[in-house]
Structures are given as C-alpha cells and as structure tokens.
Amino acid sequence: MTVRKTVGVLGGFGPAATVDFFDRVLKATPASRDQDHLRLIIDNNPLAPDRNSAIAGTGPSPGPALAVMAQGLERAGADFLVMPCNTAHAFQAEIEAATRLPFVSLIAETVKAARAERPDARRVGVLATSGCLTAGLYPKAFAAEGVDTVVPEGELLERFMTLIYAIKAGDTGPAARAEMAAIGQALVDQGAEALIAGCTEVPLVLGAGDAAVPLISSTDVLVARTVAYALGEPLPER
C-alpha cells in the first residue's frame, strides 16, 4: 500500500490565494470520508516582506522568512513543499538551501502543463505581477522551451497590479472579473495563443470560460501535482 506524503505549504502570499489553493486541493482529492483526505501543514505567513518590493530593490528580501518557514514545515513532518505564489519563486534557491525536502516548483509545473495542453503554441500570454516579470520567471522558463511570452507592460501592467491589490483586499466582484478578462484579452490581441494565470489571485476572478484562448491556471496545476505527489507519484529530483 502506498504511503501518503504530507504536504508542507508556504502560504500567506496572499492569504486568499492560500485558502483557494487549500479548497481546490480538498475538491481534487478522491475522498468519501475525512480519513481519505491529504494531510497539509500550512504556514500562512503574510508578515514576510513584500516580494514585489524586494525584487524591485525597494524593500527587504522575504528569502530569510521563507527559509525559516520551510524549516518549520520540515520539523512539523512535511515530506515535500509547495508554495501557491508565483512571484515568491524568485526566492526558491533560499528555500531549497534551508531544507532537505523536495520543493515543487509552481513555475516549472505550469510551463510543463502549458506545453502539454498547447504543444503548438509559440506565443503565450502571462498574467503575472511586476515582481514575477522582473525576475523573468516565466519568460526564462518558456524561452527554454522555444516559446515566446507576451506580458503586461506599461499602463496595462499598472492596471493589472492595481487589480491584484484590489483582489487581495477582497474585491472579486463583476467589475474585477471584467477588468481581468479585458487585460487577458489585451494579451490575446498581441498574439498570445494561450494564457497563463501566473499569479494565484488571477483564478479568483478569471475562469477558463472568460478567455478567448486556453487558460492555464497555475493554481490548478499546483493543486493537481500536489495531489498526485502526495498520493505516491515520484517527486521531482532536487
């Protein structure tokens, strides 16, 4: 019988996205009773320094806080780590240096899923924060696959960041949904053949039916891989 693995979640970036991730894991787990569900140890720590400011060079790094969180999750019994925040993956090296646990990269898994879903796509739109884009997380990963990226820039990026912070403040209503769809459509108009929800707040207001091209949700990708790894699929090598 396969022994289930315990999932350690570095969360709080932001809290609503972490709750959404947990809710989706519950719904994606085949279970008919409490004991069928996975064990998740979640450190919801919104007090870590802002990752976008750190990447911009205007604030302290969250790396040390993330390292401490990873160590705490390891001591608590986690078998592997996940982090439902795209931008914070800019500090992945510090997390991995702090613990012996496997770390499941949200970026790598999302790129892999996008290539599987749209292997013919040569331009992919990425709905991601300024920090994530400055760090080049998705552009670099897709470039390694021979795929170009279309990203929000200038006024469009300003609109996207304003919207993300509104979602973090609890605004997930019709206006927020319409604005996210419009920003996504702007990337499609620039030639994107698929869209990546490259910020875990995006799926709170944008679904597959809201886009004119296939939408790959980084949250849903991480959920699917988290469940698969916890149920026994071999973890990626470090």
Side-chain angles (χ1 to χ4, degrees):
M1 180 178 179
T2 302
V3 177
R4 294 186 173 201
K5 298 180 182 68
T6 296
V7 185
V9 183
L10 295 102
F13 323 115
T18 301
V19 171
D20 183 52
F21 170 76
F22 184 29
D23 179 61
R24 293 179 190 231
V25 168
L26 290 178
K27 292 174 180 174
T29 303
S32 58
R33 56 178 187 152
D34 291 348
Q35 291 76 17
D36 294 333
H37 283 282
L38 304 176
R39 184 185 180 197
L40 280 75
I41 305 172
I42 302 174
D43 185 348
N44 187 71
N45 180 18
L47 302 180
D50 182 75
R51 50 233 174 260
N52 288 291
S53 297
I55 294 169
T58 59
S61 170
L66 291 169
V68 170
M69 292 168 67
Q71 291 169 342
L73 291 167
E74 182 174 17
R75 289 194 299 270
D79 294 309
F80 68 97
L81 301 174
V82 300
M83 182 165 61
C85 173
N86 289 268
T87 305
H89 278 66
F91 306 94
Q92 178 177 337
E94 292 176 69
I95 295 170
E96 292 183 318
T99 174
R100 297 168 297 176
L101 299 181
F103 178 82
V104 177
S105 168
L106 174 57
I107 307 298
E109 296 287 1
T110 300
V111 171
K112 187 187 303 182
R115 297 295 291 138
E117 183 165 338
R118 284 300 309 270
D120 57 330
R122 287 293 168 260
R123 299 196 81 193
V124 174
V126 182
L127 293 164
T129 67
S130 56
C132 186
L133 297 177
T134 298
L137 299 179
Y138 277 108
K140 290 176 183 176
F142 274 113
E145 297 287 329
V147 177
D148 292 330
T149 50
V150 183
V151 302
E153 296 179 311
E155 183 265 343
L156 191 65
L157 180 57
E158 291 179 8
R159 284 171 56 191
F160 180 77
M161 293 303 296
T162 297
L163 178 57
I164 288 299
Y165 284 114
I167 295 169
K168 287 178 179 291
D171 183 2
T172 58
R177 294 176 180 275
E179 174 69 341
M180 187 64 78
I183 294 171
Q185 183 59 47
L187 299 185
V188 174
D189 292 342
Q190 294 177 47
E193 300 166 74
L195 288 176
I196 304 297
C199 172
T200 47
E201 270 78 30
V202 172
L204 298 177
V205 296
L206 190 71
D210 301 319
V213 297
L215 175 69
I216 294 91
S217 163
S218 61
T219 300
D220 286 341
V221 170
L222 186 62
V223 166
R225 301 316 299 148
T226 296
V227 172
Y229 292 136
L231 292 180
E233 187 171 317
L235 284 155
E237 294 184 3
R238 289 193 51 165

